[in-house]
Every structure is written in structure tokens, then in C-alpha cells.
Amino acid sequence: MDFETFQIAIPLWRGTKPYEQIQFQYSLHIDKGDGSAPTHKEFLPNEFCDPRLQLAERLVNDIPKDVCVLAYNAKFEKGVLKSLASIFPNLAEHLIAIHDNIKDLMLPFDKRYFYDYKQNGGYSIKDIQPILAPSIDEGYKALKAKGEISNGGEAMQAFPSFKDKSVDEIQELRKQLLAYCGLDTLAMVKVLEGLKELVE
């Protein structure tokens, strides 16, 4: 699971605060554990709007209460879920259940249980993906080389810019945002597979 958020100085919607993290996108790759290929689910509005309720409703529909959820740097994803639960009390029980079942895939790299010199001291998913998941053709470097959204800062700026874009420009940005966020969760799937191969 991976979320994208943005911050803005002047609150746009009732109940929001200056520089509050506003959740606008998520990507999920779902592994059923039966050897089948993971399925992909995602959410991103077609236009600039307050996306939080629709995102939260879709999320609780896509993730059951009682499953293990992997995130990379889970502290951020947990914060997003707590925020959504505080805003939407009717969804809070389910959102907190998801929160309580999150495991952090960053842990083995943060704790140096795995280390490769190619990391150059870093352990973000972008550092690890080329090492443990090199089979991903359209990795972060490929997105960057094409001049497309390839990091969280660019994603954070892209969604609020929808309000000043044409329909065609929005569709192009949506395509890039979906590719970037989808890569975050696909990279987690492949990195986990790489770790499993190392310990088998």
C-alpha cells in the first residue's frame, strides 16, 4: 500500500488546516498468497476536488479488516489512516483495523539486516528497487529519464495543479501519477520476492 498526499498553505476545504497532509491517491498490489500474480487496485480523482471521503470509502472496500498490509516507511501510511479515521468516524473502525495490521517493509533495510554497496548508504524504496527488483523495466530511473513524475515531491505538486490544467493536461498528469504510485507498490512486491529468494 502506498499513499500520495499534498500540502497547501491556505486551506481549501472546511475542516482542513494550513499545510495539512491531504490524501489524494493510493495504490495497492494484492498478493493472495496462492502463487497467482498480484492484482492491482488504485484510486485517483479525475479532477481537482476534496478527494478524502471517496478515497477512504474505496480503501475500506479494497482492503479487508483482517489482512496483513505492507508499506514502505509505514509511519507515513499509518499517519494517513489515523487522519482519515478522525475525519470519517463511520469508517474509523475499518481504517484503524488496516492501520493496526500494517508491517513496515523498510525495517530490514533501516536496521541493516540487508545491505548492498550499491545503496550508497540509502535505503529508500528507490535505492532498493534496482538491487532486489531489477526486473522492473519501467523503474524510477526510467520515469525520470522520460521526464515523468518519478518522486514524491513531484507527485505532491501534480494533483493541486489539476485546477489550472486543461482536460488533456489532467489526463497526462493522471497517467504519470498512476504509473508512479503503482510503481511504488509493484516495487514492494518485487523487493519482498527478492528478500524471500535470499533466505530460501
Side-chain angles (χ1 to χ4, degrees), residues 19-38:
Y19 298 108
E20 181 179 351
Q21 295 272 9
I22 304 295
Q23 310 83 5
F24 66 88
Q25 180 179 9
Y26 69 74
S27 174
L28 303 169
H29 271 83
I30 301 168
D31 185 351
K32 296 180 181 177
D34 59 3
S36 62

Side-chain angles (χ1 to χ4, degrees), residues 67-182:
V67 297
C68 177
V69 178
L70 281 182
Y72 206 94
N73 190 10
K75 182 178 180 181
F76 176 75
E77 268 65 31
K78 285 186 171 187
V80 168
L81 289 164
K82 276 191 170 181
S83 173
L84 290 170
S86 70
I87 299 166
F88 305 115
N90 58 316
L91 302 173
E93 181 185 356
H94 196 135
L95 291 165
I96 293 302
I98 296 170
H99 169 282
D100 292 346
N101 286 317
I102 290 181
K103 304 296 181 189
D104 198 339
L105 185 58
M106 189 174 75
L107 182 64
F109 309 105
D110 180 22
K111 298 292 186 184
R112 297 294 197 260
Y113 300 148
F114 171 94
Y115 188 78
D116 186 289
Y117 74 93
K118 296 176 193 151
Q119 293 173 230
N120 292 317
Y123 53 87
S124 75
I125 191 69
K126 295 169 185 63
D127 296 313
I128 302 301
Q129 177 264 315
I131 298 165
L132 286 178
S135 62
I136 299 175
D137 293 330
E138 289 292 311
Y140 298 101
K141 288 182 180 177
L143 293 179
K144 186 174 182 178
K146 292 191 295 184
E148 297 185 358
I149 293 168
S150 61
N151 63 62
E154 292 170 350
M156 183 181 289
Q157 294 174 9
F159 180 65
S161 78
F162 279 18
K163 63 182 182 297
D164 301 317
K165 303 290 186 185
S166 69
V167 172
D168 289 344
E169 289 171 327
I170 290 172
Q171 289 310 304
E172 174 58 28
L173 282 174
R174 282 192 86 254
K175 180 180 74 97
Q176 293 185 29
L177 282 166
L178 291 170
Y180 169 70
C181 195

Side-chain angles (χ1 to χ4, degrees), residues 29-50:
H29 271 83
I30 301 168
D31 185 351
K32 296 180 181 177
D34 59 3
S36 62
T39 56
H40 183 226
K41 294 181 181 285
E42 59 192 1
F43 170 85
L44 176 63
N46 288 307
E47 60 185 2
F48 187 67
C49 61
D50 183 349

